[in-house]
Amino acid sequence: MSARVVVLISGTGSNMAALLDAAADPAYGAQIVAVGADREAAGLAHAEQAGIPTFLIPFSDYADRAEWNRALAARISGFTPDLVVSAGFMRILGREVLSEHTVVNIHPALLPAFPGAHAVRDALAYGVKVTGATAHFVDEGVDTGPVIEQVTVRVEDGDDAAVLHERIKGVERRMLVDVVGRLARQGWALDGRQVKLGPAPGSYATEENR
């Protein structure tokens, strides 16, 4: 039986679209059962066209962050997911959600370096020669949860934040599809901060670094 996955987005949902494409293959092991957002997002229309249920939980509709998190947790729970994927979701999730659901996030840097919303800009400003992308489980900190997988991306001469971010996004998308599929098919073990998965296919990890 396929693992049930709820995807959260805040924008166009390009990572979500990649997950939908992958999940169309029964061998992938994951079924996208719903797509949710905190604002009107183009990705919701894409999901609806694919026949996926969608939901909207606007932050501004609630008195405070805790109330919003409770509403989001309840809506997610209605789809009984095995996994929740934050695919470009721009809100910090609170304990109301995290106590009930296992959440995976993708981040455009090699954590623990450069957490937060401006990771690509911050990496460039620091002058690093290598950055990358991290898939991690979400905890109550900002990009502080256990690392599932990481892929490096070189910083090239002349890169600005937009150019570098686009190159990282390609790696992020392939890594997210791979990680969600591996979690769904193989499960995982967590020993402290060490996440144990089955072997990675490896092809996506080198494509941007040849």
Side-chain angles (χ1 to χ4, degrees), residues 57-75:
I57 308 289
F59 188 80
S60 59
D61 285 359
Y62 298 88
D64 55 32
R65 185 173 298 275
E67 184 179 335
W68 176 80
N69 271 282
R70 284 193 292 272
L72 179 61
R75 186 63 65 89

Side-chain angles (χ1 to χ4, degrees), residues 170-188:
V171 171
E172 280 185 327
R173 194 166 299 122
R174 290 188 292 276
M175 181 172 63
L176 183 63
V177 168
D178 172 71
V179 164
V180 171
R182 288 163 64 198
L183 290 169
R185 293 188 302 272
Q186 303 166 9
W188 66 92

